[in-house]
Amino acid sequence: MFNRERTRRHMTDGAFASPFPVEDPVALAALEVAQSGLAAAVRALADATVRTRVAAPDLAAVAEQVETLTARLLAEAQEGPLGLETDSAGRLRDHGNAMVGMRNPIAPPLVVTGDESGSTSCALTLGAGYEGPPGYVHGGIVAAVLDQVLGSVPAHLGLPGMTAYLNTTYRRPTPLGAPLHCRGWVERVDGWKVHARGEIRDAQDLVTAEAEALFVVPRWAREHLDRPTGDAAGTAPGGEAAQEPSAS
Ligand SMILES: CCCCCCCCCC(=O)SCCNC(=O)CCNC(=O)[C@H](O)C(C)(C)COP(=O)(O)OP(=O)(O)OC[C@H]1O[C@@H](n2cnc3c(N)ncnc32)[C@H](O)[C@@H]1OP(=O)(O)O
């Protein structure tokens, strides 16, 4: 089913060709622009909702308007989550993904890049809607960012797997509203298992959080992929041991 191609993109960037043909790519591309625009507008609404200081009557009026808009969208909506869809370029996309989904206003959205060595990178700034400790990013969101950026590591190796564990260490509070940089890299490939590490750095280049994780290609997905590229010796493609990212 999966037509695996070694590209510089993650599944969320359409790294996998879809087995399903697109009937009208031009119309679908226009729809994608509209969907992305809606998500961006609702994302801004969520941020404004957290930060607004307008008075109660105005808030009630806005809530009523938002409820009207919600009903308008639900007039034609699918029952459950999006899962994987074919985009206008004929690639498989997870537009509902909570971290990178193009259609998801909850997603920051992260833009994760990477290469065939399994190194991944993402510049991001998180706003008021992601607050945990006052002024700082919620620890669960920190872990979610690391999960996504480290989870892109196996995808870039052609072994898209699910997180078996993600061990996160919080070194210092991660600031809101300031540029952050998250990186992931492969430590070891062992058959269908990819061990990855990563970190988030703040604008002063200080590590705020780091993680080590195991991603496993689920049994149900293995028949759709090539044989595993690694072996029990734990040699990562293109290197012998852990591949640390180069300094930015
Ligand atoms: C096509 C893939 C789609 C990718 C989507 C991207 C997702 C983005 C990242 C996420 O957020 S994923 C969401 C959070 N993670 C989950 O919900 C995963 C839930 N767990 C599972 O579905 C299964 O437990 C799992 C896929 C991780 C493994 O189950 P399997 O039945 O496919 O494999 P199995 O249990 O036979 O284990 C395979 C190997 O992994 C090892 N393993 C599995 N879980 C482990 C664990 N927790 N710790 C250490 N090792 C583990 C296991 O020992 C074994 O090692 P060996 O091959 O050497 O014998």
Side-chain angles (χ1 to χ4, degrees):
M1 178 183 163
F2 290 108
N3 177 11
R4 182 160 71 93
E5 294 175 22
R6 294 303 182 92
T7 73
R8 298 178 68 83
R9 298 178 297 184
H10 178 237
M11 178 188 284
T12 50
D13 297 322
F16 293 88
S18 171
F20 307 108
V22 186
E23 269 182 33
D24 188 344
V26 175
L28 183 55
L31 180 63
E32 288 164 353
V33 169
Q35 290 167 333
S36 169
L38 172 63
V42 176
R43 196 173 294 125
L45 175 67
D47 178 68
T49 300
V50 172
R51 295 188 300 108
T52 186
R53 295 288 186 203
V54 305
D58 279 346
L59 291 181
V62 171
E64 206 172 305
Q65 285 180 294
V66 171
E67 283 162 11
T68 301
L69 294 175
T70 302
R72 197 168 159 190
L73 292 175
L74 289 177
E76 219 178 311
Q78 70 181 59
E79 199 60 44
L82 293 184
L84 288 176
E85 293 189 325
T86 303
D87 74 5
S88 56
R91 321 296 299 184
L92 285 174
R93 305 295 295 259
D94 49 352
H95 288 319
N97 183 290
M99 283 291 114
V100 297
M102 179 268 282
R103 289 181 62 180
N104 192 342
I106 291 171
L110 303 183
V111 177
V112 184
T113 59
D115 59 36
E116 290 178 4
S117 75
S119 293
T120 57
S121 177
C122 174
L124 68 151
T125 301
L126 296 170
Y130 299 101
E131 189 165 42
Y136 296 103
V137 181
H138 192 288
I141 300 296
V142 168
V145 169
L146 285 161
D147 188 30
Q148 191 67 45
V149 175
L150 271 64
S152 296
V153 168
H156 277 93
L157 298 175
L159 293 167
M162 297 185 77
T163 317
Y165 63 73
L166 176 83
N167 294 335
T168 304
T169 303
Y170 299 89
R171 295 290 179 199
R172 53 176 56 78
T174 301
L176 288 166
L180 303 169
H181 200 150
C182 185
R183 296 175 200 279
W185 61 91
V186 61
E187 183 174 65
R188 182 160 62 88
V189 178
D190 179 6
W192 297 106
K193 300 184 289 187
V194 176
H195 296 261
R197 299 189 81 91
E199 63 187 18
I200 296 176
R201 287 178 183 262
D202 65 16
Q204 285 68 49
D205 206 30
L206 297 171
V207 174
T208 67
E210 55 197 15
E212 56 110 6
L214 171 65
F215 299 91
V216 179
V217 180
R219 287 180 181 281
W220 54 263
R222 292 176 196 174
E223 65 187 86
H224 304 300
L225 296 165
D226 294 348
R227 299 303 302 167
T229 53
D231 58 28
T235 303
E240 290 190 346
Q243 296 181 347
E244 302 238 3
S246 56
S248 60

